Amino acid sequence: MRIITRSGPSVTWSIAVYGAAAVVGLLMTIVLISISGAPVGASLVALGQGAAGSPASIASSVVKATPLILTGLATCVTYRAGLWTVGQESQVVAGAAAAWQMSLWTTGMAPVVVIVLCVLAALAGGAALGALVAWFRTRFGISEIVSSMMLNYIVFFALAWLISGPWMASGGTASYQQTGLLERAYWLPNIVDVGKMHIGVVLALIVVIWLQVLLKRMPLGYEIRAMGFNATALSQRGVDKRRLVLTVMVISGVIAALAGVGEVFGVSHRLTGDNLSGMGFDGIIIALIGGLSPLGTLVAGLFFGALHNGSLFMNVITGVPTALVTAIQGVVLILFLIAGAVRRYRIERA
Amino acid sequence: QADPPKQLRIAVIIGNGPESAWDGTFLEALERVKKAKPHDLTITTKVSDPLWGNDVESAMRLYAQSGQFDIIWGHSTYSDQIAQLKDEFPDLMFVMTGSGNAPLGGNVYWNYKRVHEPAYLLGVLAGHATTSGVVGSVGTLPADDVNDEINAFFAGARSVNPGIVTKVAFIQSWYDPAKAAEYMNSQIAAGVDVMFSLVDNFSPCDEHKETVVCIGNFRDDWQRSPRILSAPLALWDPDIERLVDVWYDHEANGTPYAGNTQMLWSTMAEGGAAVASFHGRESLVPAKAIAAFEAAKAAYDAGKLQIPLDVSLPVSK
Amino acid sequence: MDALLDNALLISVFVTMLRSATPLLLSSIGELAIQRAGIWNLGVEGTMLSAAFAAYAVVVATGSLPLATVAAVLVGALVGALTSMLTVALKLDQFVTGLAINLVASGLTLYLFRSNHAVFSAGNFTGFAPVAVPFLADIPVIGRIFFQQRLPTYLALALIPLAWFFLHRTRQGLELRVLGENPKVLQTRGIAVAPRLWLIIVAGSGLTGLGGAFLVLGLSDRFIPEITAGRGWLVVVALVAGNWSLFGTITAVFAFAALQAIASHAQVLNLPVPYQFLLALPYIASLATLMIFRSRSGQPAHLGLRDIGK
Amino acid sequence: MTLHRPVLRAVGLTKRFGSVVANDDVSLDVAAGELHCLFGENGAGKSTLSAMLHGELQPDAGHIEVDGRRTDFRSPADAIAEGIGMVHQHFVLARALTVIENIVAGTSRSGWRLGLTEARERLSRLCGDLGIAIELDAPLWQLSVGEQQWVEILKALYLDARVLILDEPTAVLTPQESGKLFGMIGKMRDRGLAVVIVTHKLREVLQADTITVLRRGRKVGTLDGRDATVESLTRLMIGGDLASSPARSSNSPGRVAVQATGLMAKGSWGETIVDDVSLMVRSGEIFGIAGVAGNGQKPLLEMLAGIREPESGSLLIGDRQLEGLSAADFMRAGVGIIPEDRYAEGLVGPFSIAENIILGRHRSKDLCRGLFIAGDRVVAKAEEAMRRYSIAAPAINTPVSRLSGGNAQKVVLARELDQASVLLLANQPTRGLDIGVVATVHEELRRKRDEGVAVILVSEDIDDLFDLCDRIGVMFAGRIVGIVSPETTSRDIVGSMMVGRAPAGGATCA
Ligand SMILES: Nc1ncnc2c1ncn2[C@@H]1O[C@H](COP(=O)(O)OP(=O)(O)OP(=O)(O)O)[C@@H](O)[C@H]1O
Ligand SMILES: Nc1ncnc2c1ncn2[C@@H]1O[C@H](COP(=O)(O)OP(=O)(O)OP(=O)(O)O)[C@@H](O)[C@H]1O
Ligand SMILES: [Mg+2]
Ligand SMILES: [Mg+2]
C-alpha cells in the first residue's frame, strides 16, 4: 500500500475525512467529560439543550456568537491579505472605548443620534488602531504580529486606567474598575424580544455578506487575495501596497470595533476590565476553523457560540467545567487541519 | 401560614474559582454553615464554574427557571445581571457580594466583606516589627474592598510608628504570580520588611528568609511559607447565617424581602473577620510587636479602638 | 529618580531582570533553534503553559523538584512532537498550527485544573531556591546580581554561549541553519530532513517547556490557569525583534526584562503617573525601540514555508 | 579520444507522475572522460532522468548500474557514495550562509565540530585546479549568479564526484561564463570525470561527445557529437522542422516612445545600482540591453515600469513626464513589463489563469460592472488569451502554479502584450524555455514592434539580441557603456563590453 497525493479533491473522500474528524472530535468530548466525572449522556443532552434547545437558548447562542463572528471576520480580511495580526483584541477594546467616550459627550441627545454617533465613534476607534498597525508596518517595517501584540498590552493598560480614573463609576461602590451603567435609552435596540438579540446581530450578518461579496466579486477583494499570495506581483502591477495594507487593517479594525460596541452597548451596558477580553483571540480561532471564508466564519461562529452557551447549561446541570469548549475548540481546529491535509492524499494498493 | 421550611437550596455562582481566596473562603464557610444547620435546615448547594458577564445571567436564569433553588448567591460583581432577573423571579432571593455592585433592594441582598479591622491590627504589629521602617503591600487590582485593607494596614502601622514609609503596587492582573513575585521583590529591595501580600504568591517571602515577614490575605495560608506570620481572615459565616435568617423569615413568616441598599458587612466583632493564628511563629517578629498587637486587639475587643475605614486608592508614602 | 539610583534598589533591578528573564531566555533559545530551522512556531505560549501545568502536577504529586522539571521538559517535548506531526509530517500551515496548539493547551490545562480542583488547590512545594555560587557570590554587586540566582537562571546564562557554539561551530548547528534557509541543500545530499526537524522541534520545545516550568517552580508557589500570561508571545516578539540572531534575541529579552524590572521598581517610588502607565511602559518602549532601530531582516529564508521534504 | 566502459548506465528507466509519464524506458551509457549531453524540449524529462541518476527520484521500472554493478539508489546519499554529483537546474543554496558553509553543509567530512581548516585546503586545491576564484567566507547573496554556479560545482566536486550531472547550468550564465564552464568541463574530462550536461543551447550541445535526445519522456535517439547538426537535433527534438523565423523588419522607427535622462537608482544598502543612464527608444523599435545579470538591468527596467522610483532623472513615456508617479500611472500610459522571474513577480500562483490575466487591470472599466468585477468579461478575455497564445491548460480556472514554465510564461505574455500599447519591457523572457516556446516569444515581440510599440529587451543571450534588436545597449556596473548596432558590430565586441572592457573600434555609439 502506498500513500499518494491526489490530483484533485474528491467529494466522497472529503466527506469521509471530515466526518471522521467530527466523530473523533465527539469522542474526545466524551473522554473529556468523563474525566471530569460527570455523566456523559446527561452532559451531552444539556450541552445540546443549552446550545439550541429553546428559542431563548438559540437567541442566547446567537448573541454569544455575534462578537466571535465579527472578530472572526476581522481576522479573515487580514489573513487573506497575508497580514498576520493578532490585534483584534485591542481593536475590540478601542472600538468600545471610543463609543463610550462618545456616549459621554452626547449624553442628553436623542437616543437615535447617540447610538449612531457611538457606533460611528467605535468604527473610528477600531480603524485608528488598525491604521496604527499598518503605519508601523509600512513606515517602520515592524512586523504586524509584533506591533499588534504590543498594542494589545498597551490598550489593555490604557483601558484599565480609563475605567479606574476618568470613567470610573460613581455608584454603590467607592472604587471599582468599571464605568457606570449606560442609560437604558442608549442601549442598542433589540431586533426580537428574546434575550439580548440586539441589532448588532444584524450588523454582523450584513458584514458577513458584504465581506463575502467583497472578497469574491470586488476589485478590492481581488487585491486582498492577491496580496496574500504574492504581494510583489500585485504591487508591480500598479497596486499601492501601503495603501492596501492600510485599507485592510482599517477594515479589520472597523469590523472588530463593531464587536466591541455591540457587546458594550447591546449586552453588558458598561465597560469593565474583562468583559471584552479574549474576544479577539477567539475570533482568530473561529476564522481559522471557518477556513478564512466569511461564510465559514459565520458557521463556525454560530457553532461555537452555541457550544459556549451549551457549556453553561452543562456546567449548571452536570458540573462539567465550561473550559470544555475551549479545549474542544482547539481539538476541533487541529482535527480539521489534519482532515484538510489528509484530504489531499489517497491510499493505493501497490 | 405554611409549614416552616426544612430545606434550603442555594445555587452559587463564583467569579474566580475555588482556588482563589475570595471564593475559597466563602465555599469553606458555606460548608460550615451547612454543618451547623441553622433553623434545623438541610442546606444543599450547587456551585458553578467561574463565570463573568453575560454568561452569569444565562446561568442564573437557568438556576432560577429550574425552580430547584431558593437562593441564588452570586459571589462577585453581578448586580447588572441580577437586575435583569430580580423582578422576573420575585420569590427568589438573590445575593451579590463585594465591590462594584449597585444596590438593587427588594429581593436582592448585597453583602460586603471587609477585613480592614484585622488588617489594621496586623498593621500595628507591622509598625513595631519593621526594622527598616518600611512596610509594603502588593495588590492585584484596586477596588473598594481591596483598598480598605491596604489603607487600614498602613494606618495601623502609622498609628504606632508615625514616620513609617509605606509602599504599594498593583499588578493589574488576577493571574500572574510571576509578575506578583517581581513586584514583591521590588518592594523588598526598596526596604520593605513586612509585606502584606494580596497576590497569592509567597515565594518571595521564602527567598528573603532572613529579612522579610509576610502577611497573607483573606485565608490562612500559613503552610505555604514559613515566613507567613498571619493574615486578616475573611469569615463569611455570619453573612451567610444572616441571609439564611432573612430567607427563613421570608419563607416561614412571610416577611417581605427588603434588600439592603447600603453597604452591609459583618465586623470583626460580629465574627465577619479575624486575625489568623500565628501558628507559633511569634518569634518572627520582636516581642514588643506581638505585645502591641495584643494590646490593640484587646482595645478593639473592649470596644475602645475605633478602626477607620478608608477606601481611597492607597499610595506609596 | 534618586531612589532608583539607590544602590540596593539598583542591584535589585538587575537581579529582577535576570530572574524574570530566565523563563524567556530558556524558551527563546529553544524557539530560536526551531525557527532557525525554518519552523514558524507560534505555539510557544501553549508549550510553556502545558509544561508549567505538568511541573505543578508532578511537584504536588511527588514533591520532587527534579521529577517535576523532567516532567515539564517531557511535556514540552510532547507538545513539540505534536507540532512536528502537524507541521512536518502533515505540512499544515505553521501559523495556524501554533494558534491551535495554544488554544488546546489553554483549554486542556484549564479543564483539567477545574476538573481536579482538590489536587490543584493543594499547592505546597519547594521550588528552586537561590543558590549562591561559592566565592563568586561574595563579589560586591556582581556577586549579588549574577551569583545568587536559581539553577535555571545559571542554566539559561550558560546556554547562551553554548547555543552560539552549537549554531555556529558544529556541523549539526550548520545543518540546522541550512534547514531554515533552504532544506533542499540537505535533501540533495541525501539527508532526510523530516527526522531532523522532528528532533529540533522536540528538543527546542523541551527547552521551551523548561522555561514554562520555571514560572511555577522558580517564581511562584502554585499553578494558576494562564500562568504564562502572554510570555510565550513575548518570546516570539523577541525573536522577531532580535532579527532571529541569537544575540539579538537575547538582547531583546534582556531589554524587555530590564524595562519590566524598572517598571516594577518604579512603582515603589510614588511617581505622579498612574500605575497602569508604568505597567504599559515595557511595551511602549519596545515599540519605540523597534521604530528607531530598523535593521536588515535576518529572517530565515525558509521560515514558515511548507514545502518540507519527507 | 578513447571511451572507456560506462561508469554509469541507465537501463530502461521509467518514471510516472500520476498520469504523466515523465520518463519512458530511457536507457543511457555514460563513460569516464565523456561529455554526455541530454537534449530535449521543456518537459521532455531531462530533469526527471537526472534526478533518478542522482537518487532523488526512484524509477518505477528499470535500474541504474555503476561500474557495471546494479545499484539501487534510495536517496542522493547512495548516489553520492557512488561518486555521482549533481548541479540542479535551479540553485540549491542557502543565500544567507557563506560559500564554505554551503559547500560543507550536509557532508560528514568534518566530524561534529565544524573544523573548516581541512575543507578550506581541499577547496583551494579544487579551485586552483579548475581556475575558479572565489571568496570562501563571502555570504552567498553577495555572489554573482555565475559565481553561485561555481559554488554549485564545487559542492559536487567536494564530495569526490566521478560523474557530474549538470542540469541546464548555462541557462543563467553569460557567454563568457559558459565558455569558462566548458573550459572547466574539459579539465574534468581530462581527469577522467564523466560529465552529463543538460542544455537547450545548440551551440553547447554540439560540443558533447554523445548526445541523447528525449522527447515526451522517450529517448528518440543517441548521436555522436561529431555527427550531429543543428538541423538533425532540432528535428529529433520536436519531431519536425521549426518554422523559420522572419527576418528583422525594415520598417523605420517612429516617434520617441520613451526618453530617459540621467536615471539613478540605489540598492538597499545605499549603493548605486543604476548610474546616470539615459536612453531613447522610438516606437516600432526593439532596443536590446545586453549585460551580465546584476549590472543594473533589472532596476533600470523597474524604473521604466514605474515599479521603482528613481533617485534622480527624468522619464518621458509617450508624451507624459512620468518620473515620480506610480506603477499604475505607467500602466495607464501604456507600459507593459515581462518580469525576469515570472512566478515571483509576474503571477499570483494560486490564482487561476483568468485571474492572472486581469492582474493590474482588475479595476478597469471594461472588466468591471459597477462595483463588481464582471465575471463574464473576465472569462471572455481569458478564453481569448488561451486561444491566441495556445496556452495548454485544462481550463481558464486552472491555477497558474500548476502550469508548466512555458505555459505560465505565455500567461504573462498574453497580459503584458495586451497591456503594452506604447512600451514593452521584457527581462529575459525566454530563460529556460525550449526553442519552440522561444520562437513564439520572439514572434510576439516582433509583432509588437510592428504594431508600433517600443520594445526594450534585456537578455544575456547575445544571439537572441542580435536576431531581434535594432539597437543594443550594453550595461555594465549600472551604466550603459555603449550602444551598438547589430548590423555593424560583432558579437565578440558586445561580449567584451559586457565584462567591462571598453568597446573596440567597431562599436558605433548611437
Ligand atoms: N509538483 C507538481 N504537482 C503536480 N503537477 C505538476 C507538478 N509539477 C509539474 N506538474 C505538472 O507538470 C506539467 C509540466 O510541468 P513542467 O514545469 O515540468 O513543464 P515543462 O515541460 O517545463 O513545460 P514548458 O515546456 O511549457 O516549460 C504541468 O502541466 C503540471 O501540471
Ligand atoms: N514532481 C512532479 N510531479 C508531477 N509531474 C512532474 C513532476 N516533475 C516532473 N513532472 C512531469 O514530468 C515531465 C518531465 O519533467 P522534467 O522536469 O523532467 O522536464 P525537463 O526535460 O527537465 O524540462 P525543462 O527543460 O523545462 O527543464 C514534465 O512535463 C512534467 O509533466
Ligand atoms: Mg520546464
Ligand atoms: Mg529540467
Side-chain angles (χ1 to χ4, degrees):
Chain A
M1 289 218 307
R2 303 189 297 170
I3 294 173
I4 40 182
T5 317
R6 279 173 185 275
S7 40
S10 137
V11 177
T12 7
W13 176 243
S14 296
I15 292 174
V17 168
Y18 281 108
V23 169
V24 175
L26 188 63
L27 286 177
M28 304 271 279
T29 312
I30 290 171
V31 169
L32 283 177
I33 291 176
S34 37
I35 285 179
S36 80
V40 173
S43 299
L44 286 178
V45 169
L47 186 66
Q49 273 177 346
S54 70
S57 52
I58 291 175
S60 186
S61 295
V62 170
V63 172
K64 189 74 214 167
T66 302
L68 302 183
I69 293 168
L70 284 168
T71 50
L73 295 174
T75 307
C76 284
V77 67
T78 51
Y79 287 15
R80 288 291 280 273
L83 294 170
W84 302 104
T85 148
V86 288
Q88 294 82 340
E89 192 82 6
S90 49
Q91 291 167 350
V92 169
V93 173
W100 192 263
Q101 181 59 60
M102 181 58 78
S103 76
L104 297 180
W105 282 336
T106 55
T107 316
M109 296 188 192
V112 184
V113 177
V114 173
I115 290 174
V116 168
L117 284 178
C118 287
V119 171
L120 289 178
L123 302 186
L129 217 64
L132 208 54
V133 171
W135 183 65
F136 280 128
R137 176 170 155 137
T138 52
R139 174 75 181 76
F140 299 99
I142 303 176
S143 145
E144 64 277 5
I145 187 169
V146 172
S147 65
S148 60
M149 182 58 71
M150 294 290 158
L151 282 172
N152 281 351
Y153 285 102
I154 295 169
V155 167
F156 170 81
F157 289 119
L159 176 72
W161 173 71
L162 283 169
I163 60 176
S164 65
W167 292 351
M168 189 164 75
S170 52
T173 303
S175 148
Y176 193 75
Q177 293 198 349
Q178 63 184 11
T179 64
L181 196 63
L182 189 69
E183 262 184 61
R184 188 155 205 135
Y186 302 151
W187 293 8
L188 287 185
N190 277 9
I191 42 167
V192 286
D193 205 19
V194 200
K196 294 188 172 175
M197 282 278 250
H198 57 87
I199 50 165
V201 177
V202 181
L203 287 181
L205 274 179
I206 293 173
V207 178
V208 169
I209 294 163
W210 172 72
L211 205 57
Q212 182 76 23
V213 171
L214 177 87
L215 287 173
K216 277 249 148 66
R217 297 259 170 267
M218 293 165 78
L220 178 62
Y222 173 92
E223 287 170 8
I224 288 172
R225 288 184 292 126
M227 180 159 76
F229 292 131
N230 189 347
T232 312
L234 184 69
S235 68
Q236 298 209 350
R237 303 323 300 142
V239 175
D240 184 344
K241 209 165 91 181
R242 290 171 172 231
R243 221 172 77 192
L244 189 53
V245 168
L246 180 68
T247 310
V248 168
M249 285 310 305
V250 164
I251 291 178
S252 113
V254 160
I255 300 176
L258 274 182
V261 70
E263 278 307 286
V264 172
F265 283 64
V267 178
S268 65
H269 312 302
R270 70 162 97 223
L271 254 174
T272 71
D274 52 23
N275 59 7
L276 298 175
S277 72
M279 246 169 230
F281 284 104
D282 284 348
I284 295 177
I285 302 303
I286 294 298
L288 292 175
I289 294 178
L292 295 183
S293 110
L295 288 179
T297 303
L298 174 70
V299 173
L302 286 173
F303 181 70
F304 281 101
L307 267 196
H308 182 99
N309 210 47
S311 76
L312 287 176
F313 277 54
M314 185 167 62
N315 179 253
V316 163
I317 291 167
T318 60
V320 180
T322 51
L324 178 75
V325 170
T326 319
I328 289 301
Q329 243 176 9
V331 169
V332 166
L333 177 54
I334 287 184
L335 287 172
F336 270 54
L337 291 174
I338 293 175
V342 170
R343 203 167 65 103
R344 300 197 299 261
Y345 300 100
R346 66 195 164 97
I347 296 169
E348 190 179 73
R349 279 177 204 284
Chain B
Q1 201 87 89
D3 286 341
K6 294 264 174 292
Q7 201 194 15
L8 166 59
R9 300 158 304 176
I10 307 178
V12 179
I13 293 181
I14 53 174
N16 286 297
E19 71 280 2
S20 73
W22 178 268
D23 292 331
T25 49
F26 170 71
L27 295 175
E28 283 162 22
L30 197 54
E31 291 307 312
R32 287 194 295 269
V33 175
K34 271 156 96 170
K35 281 219 185 69
K37 287 180 141 295
H39 306 284
D40 218 19
L41 286 167
T42 306
I43 301 178
T44 56
T45 56
K46 176 143 193 149
V47 183
S48 78
D49 235 24
L51 298 175
W52 307 270
N54 199 41
D55 288 351
V56 172
E57 194 183 318
S58 306
M60 281 188 175
R61 183 177 295 280
L62 200 64
Y63 282 133
Q65 282 171 340
S66 73
Q68 291 174 16
F69 298 97
D70 307 300
I71 298 179
I72 294 184
W73 187 296
H75 198 59
S76 188
T77 307
Y78 296 148
S79 59
D80 288 353
Q81 289 76 27
I82 293 175
Q84 306 289 313
L85 297 164
K86 65 182 268 268
D87 296 334
E88 226 177 296
F89 302 96
D91 292 332
L92 270 179
M93 177 176 176
F94 289 91
V95 182
M96 58 201 186
T97 64
S99 56
N101 286 303
L104 297 170
N107 54 341
V108 185
Y109 288 77
W110 181 20
N111 194 74
Y112 243 72
K113 181 51 57 191
R114 294 212 184 276
V115 296
H116 68 292
E117 292 160 320
Y120 181 93
L121 298 179
L122 288 166
V124 169
L125 185 151
H128 282 292
T130 175
T131 46
S132 62
V134 191
V135 298
S137 179
V138 178
T140 49
L141 299 108
D144 200 335
D145 44 13
V146 172
N147 301 352
D148 63 350
E149 36 177 339
I150 297 179
N151 285 325
F153 179 73
F154 290 163
R158 198 161 282 123
S159 72
V160 295
N161 189 347
I164 207 155
V165 177
T166 58
K167 302 287 181 196
V168 63
F170 291 102
I171 62 169
Q172 192 67 35
S173 164
W174 299 112
Y175 283 128
D176 202 337
K179 196 172 192 174
E182 296 317 342
Y183 277 74
M184 290 168 74
N185 281 317
S186 303
Q187 291 199 346
I188 292 166
V192 168
D193 59 358
V194 184
M195 167 72 67
F196 181 26
S197 170
L198 285 71
V199 284
D200 207 11
N201 184 0
F202 295 100
S203 62
C205 313
D206 283 346
E207 183 175 349
H208 300 272
K209 283 192 202 42
E210 284 74 36
T211 47
V212 178
V213 173
C214 282
I215 308 288
N217 185 43
F218 258 56
R219 79 187 154 199
D220 192 357
D221 278 320
W222 69 284
Q223 283 172 314
R224 287 173 66 182
S225 165
R227 303 298 299 177
I228 299 174
L229 177 62
S230 182
L233 291 184
L235 300 172
W236 299 85
D237 312 53
D239 308 288
I240 301 170
E241 282 159 8
R242 177 172 60 81
L243 291 163
V244 169
D245 290 347
V246 169
W247 175 80
Y248 189 86
D249 194 28
H250 173 81
E251 291 292 313
N253 310 321
T255 314
Y257 286 130
N260 55 310
T261 50
Q262 297 297 310
M263 286 177 212
L264 199 61
W265 66 89
S266 328
T267 63
M268 186 160 80
E270 292 160 349
V275 176
S277 156
F278 294 154
H279 297 285
R281 290 177 183 165
E282 283 83 351
S283 61
L284 287 177
V285 294
K288 65 167 186 201
I290 302 288
F293 163 78
E294 300 289 1
K297 183 155 187 312
Y300 174 86
D301 291 342
K304 279 188 236 140
L305 176 63
Q306 282 299 311
I307 294 178
L309 176 66
D310 174 8
V311 296
S312 62
L313 185 70
V315 286
S316 302
K317 270 185 198 142
Chain C
M1 289 305 267
D2 276 359
L4 243 196
L5 301 174
D6 171 78
N7 199 19
L9 215 51
L10 200 60
I11 289 177
S12 171
V13 168
F14 284 102
V15 174
T16 305
M17 178 188 90
L18 267 186
R19 185 176 43 215
S20 59
T22 300
L24 300 178
L25 278 180
L26 291 168
S27 301
S28 61
I29 292 172
E31 287 313 312
L32 187 74
I34 296 176
Q35 297 211 6
R36 283 300 285 267
I39 301 292
W40 181 217
N41 179 22
L42 294 189
V44 193
E45 181 86 1
T47 312
M48 290 176 79
L49 183 59
S50 314
F53 182 80
Y56 186 73
V58 172
V59 83
V60 168
T62 67
S64 159
L65 188 57
L67 266 184
T69 312
V70 169
V73 172
L74 285 181
V75 166
L78 202 68
V79 177
L82 178 63
T83 307
S84 306
M85 187 187 92
L86 298 176
T87 58
V88 180
L90 292 171
K91 300 192 172 103
L92 296 180
D93 185 89
Q94 293 163 18
F95 183 94
V96 179
T97 301
L99 291 183
I101 294 234
N102 289 341
L103 187 68
V104 172
S106 157
L108 277 184
T109 52
L110 181 61
Y111 188 80
L112 294 175
F113 183 84
R114 292 265 169 256
S115 308
N116 300 282
H117 174 252
V119 180
F120 286 103
S121 55
N124 187 27
F125 63 87
T126 328
F128 290 106
V131 180
V133 181
F135 308 118
L136 294 176
D138 302 331
I139 307 171
V141 185
I142 303 286
R144 178 68 194 93
I145 294 173
F146 287 99
F147 300 110
Q148 299 183 29
Q149 296 280 0
R150 292 165 176 76
L151 275 178
T153 306
Y154 298 133
L155 178 66
L157 292 177
L159 271 176
I160 298 171
L162 283 180
W164 183 87
F165 183 84
F166 172 76
L167 279 178
H168 296 277
R169 286 288 177 272
T170 67
R171 191 157 63 81
Q172 312 291 339
L174 170 62
E175 288 170 12
L176 183 149
R177 287 183 291 137
V178 169
L179 277 178
E181 296 294 334
N182 187 356
K184 281 190 92 177
V185 172
L186 295 191
Q187 278 168 339
T188 54
R189 297 204 131 155
I191 293 175
V193 165
R196 250 160 223 262
L197 283 175
W198 273 80
L199 195 68
I200 293 165
I201 298 172
V202 166
S205 299
L207 196 52
T208 306
L210 186 58
F214 188 72
L215 288 176
V216 169
L217 302 177
L219 295 175
S220 176
D221 60 356
R222 63 190 306 169
F223 177 85
I224 282 182
E226 303 298 331
I227 192 171
T228 38
R231 284 178 184 78
W233 286 101
L234 285 178
V235 167
V236 175
V237 167
L239 256 68
V240 177
N243 241 324
W244 287 271
S245 95
L246 177 66
F247 290 111
T249 305
I250 300 302
T251 309
V253 166
F254 277 130
F256 192 82
L259 284 165
Q260 278 201 321
I262 290 170
S264 74
H265 284 79
Q267 275 213 29
V268 304
L269 296 182
N270 196 18
L271 299 176
V273 290
Y275 72 90
Q276 290 96 346
F277 176 77
L278 294 174
L279 286 162
L281 191 64
Y283 305 95
I284 298 170
S286 307
L287 260 182
T289 316
L290 287 173
M291 283 164 74
I292 297 164
F293 300 104
R294 303 177 57 182
S295 53
R296 190 173 72 86
S297 175
Q299 179 173 341
H302 204 262
L303 184 67
L305 302 183
R306 287 150 76 179
D307 53 330
I308 312 159
K310 283 167 259 109
Chain D
M1 69 183 294
T2 51
L3 293 185
H4 310 280
R5 72 190 173 85
V7 277
L8 180 68
R9 290 191 69 194
V11 184
L13 292 182
T14 298
K15 183 71 193 173
R16 282 182 214 94
F17 295 108
S19 57
V20 179
V21 186
N23 274 199
D24 187 0
D25 191 23
V26 177
S27 299
L28 187 75
D29 287 2
V30 186
E34 182 193 25
L35 174 57
H36 192 123
C37 180
L38 285 178
F39 183 65
E41 58 190 336
N42 287 136
K46 308 176 295 288
S47 297
T48 306
L49 179 58
S50 311
M52 285 191 286
L53 295 177
H54 193 241
E56 280 156 39
L57 292 175
Q58 282 69 47
D60 296 326
H63 68 270
I64 295 164
E65 289 173 12
V66 178
D67 292 332
R69 271 177 300 108
R70 191 183 157 142
T71 59
D72 191 9
F73 295 160
R74 269 162 309 154
S75 95
D78 297 338
I80 289 168
E82 293 286 2
I84 296 169
M86 168 113 173
V87 171
H88 292 81
Q89 184 167 4
H90 304 289
F91 289 134
V92 182
L93 295 167
R95 288 173 55 81
L97 304 186
T98 64
V99 171
I100 190 159
E101 285 175 330
N102 268 281
I103 294 172
V104 303
T107 66
S108 45
R109 279 190 186 285
S110 57
W112 72 272
R113 284 282 307 266
L114 201 56
L116 294 177
T117 335
E118 195 218 353
R120 242 174 251 285
E121 278 167 19
R122 280 179 59 79
L123 285 169
S124 53
R125 227 176 308 124
L126 262 175
C127 288
D129 289 352
L130 294 174
I132 298 173
I134 209 158
E135 170 60 62
L136 289 178
D137 291 311
L140 211 87
W141 54 264
Q142 286 182 350
L143 269 52
S144 73
V145 174
E147 288 172 315
Q148 295 183 29
Q149 194 65 281
W150 306 153
V151 176
E152 282 284 17
I153 290 169
L154 286 174
K155 271 175 64 187
L157 296 182
Y158 180 70
L159 290 173
D160 297 323
R162 293 183 298 149
V163 180
L164 183 61
I165 305 168
L166 301 159
D167 194 355
E168 295 198 36
T170 58
V172 294
L173 297 184
T174 62
Q176 275 81 5
E177 287 168 332
S178 298
K180 191 171 167 190
L181 174 68
F182 274 83
M184 283 182 216
I185 290 174
K187 287 182 195 158
M188 294 179 207
R189 283 161 70 195
D190 294 345
R191 289 163 56 188
L193 249 78
V195 179
V196 179
I197 189 166
V198 177
T199 176
H200 288 298
K201 297 180 184 170
L202 289 166
R203 205 198 281 233
E204 294 167 3
V205 180
L206 294 173
Q207 298 183 36
D209 300 314
T210 316
I211 302 162
T212 295
V213 184
L214 296 180
R215 186 166 76 230
R216 302 211 182 121
R218 300 188 126 265
K219 183 164 102 172
V220 291
T222 301
L223 288 78
D224 192 302
R226 282 163 300 193
D227 306 337
T229 62
V230 171
E231 289 71 31
S232 63
L233 283 172
T234 311
R235 208 170 306 118
L236 267 177
M237 182 188 96
I238 63 172
D241 285 312
L242 203 61
S244 65
S245 54
R248 208 181 0 251
S249 93
S250 54
N251 71 330
S252 51
R255 63 198 193 92
V256 174
V258 52
Q259 169 97 58
T261 322
L263 290 182
M264 299 277 284
K266 289 214 189 318
S268 39
W269 290 278
E271 77 282 15
T272 301
I273 49 175
V274 173
D275 190 1
D276 191 20
V277 165
S278 301
L279 59 81
M280 183 273 286
V281 184
R282 294 177 178 279
S283 61
E285 184 185 25
I286 299 183
F287 182 83
I289 295 180
V292 179
N295 275 290
Q297 301 95 318
K298 189 174 162 155
L300 175 60
L301 283 206
E302 285 174 350
M303 285 190 285
L304 295 175
I307 295 164
R308 174 191 286 270
E309 197 173 330
E311 292 288 316
S312 61
S314 73
L315 197 45
L316 178 83
I317 290 176
D319 48 11
R320 290 186 60 198
Q321 285 300 135
L322 289 181
E323 66 275 355
L325 297 184
S326 72
D329 295 308
F330 280 71
M331 288 177 68
R332 270 191 286 278
V335 180
I337 181 169
I338 300 167
E340 181 180 22
D341 184 336
R342 43 191 169 255
Y343 286 108
E345 298 168 301
L347 297 168
V348 178
F351 270 18
S352 68
I353 295 174
E355 284 173 310
N356 272 289
I357 290 282
I358 65 166
L359 187 66
R361 283 178 302 179
H362 52 278
R363 283 183 187 276
S364 78
K365 286 216 170 54
D366 53 330
L367 287 173
C368 291
R369 197 175 285 124
L371 290 171
F372 304 100
I373 296 176
D376 50 344
R377 295 182 192 171
V378 174
V379 167
K381 188 148 198 106
E383 275 170 351
E384 188 205 316
M386 296 253 298
R387 242 192 337 270
R388 167 112 171 56
Y389 295 93
S390 46
I391 298 169
I396 54 165
N397 56 12
T398 306
V400 294
S401 57
R402 299 179 67 157
L403 298 183
S404 72
N407 283 306
Q409 185 71 340
K410 287 178 184 173
V411 175
V412 178
L413 270 177
R415 184 181 71 215
E416 297 304 325
L417 291 176
D418 194 25
Q419 162 66 34
S421 56
V422 172
L423 172 63
L424 176 67
L425 307 162
N427 194 353
Q428 314 237 43
T430 57
R431 176 187 273 187
L433 301 183
D434 72 51
I435 32 185
V437 186
V438 168
T440 317
V441 173
H442 286 181
E443 204 179 301
E444 291 298 337
L445 294 181
R446 285 200 188 90
R447 195 199 328 261
K448 218 55 202 171
R449 188 250 333 258
D450 294 344
E451 284 170 11
V453 170
V455 178
I456 297 181
L457 170 67
V458 170
S459 178
E460 292 179 15
D461 189 328
I462 300 186
D463 292 343
D464 275 7
L465 292 173
F466 272 72
D467 283 353
L468 282 166
C469 299
D470 300 300
R471 287 183 298 144
I472 299 172
V474 186
M475 275 194 95
F476 178 73
R479 303 177 137 268
I480 291 194
V481 292
I483 296 178
V484 301
S485 156
E487 259 130 40
T488 57
T489 315
S490 76
R491 287 160 205 238
D492 293 345
I493 289 172
V494 172
S496 59
M497 287 164 77
M498 280 166 70
V499 291
R501 266 170 263 145
T508 53
C509 293

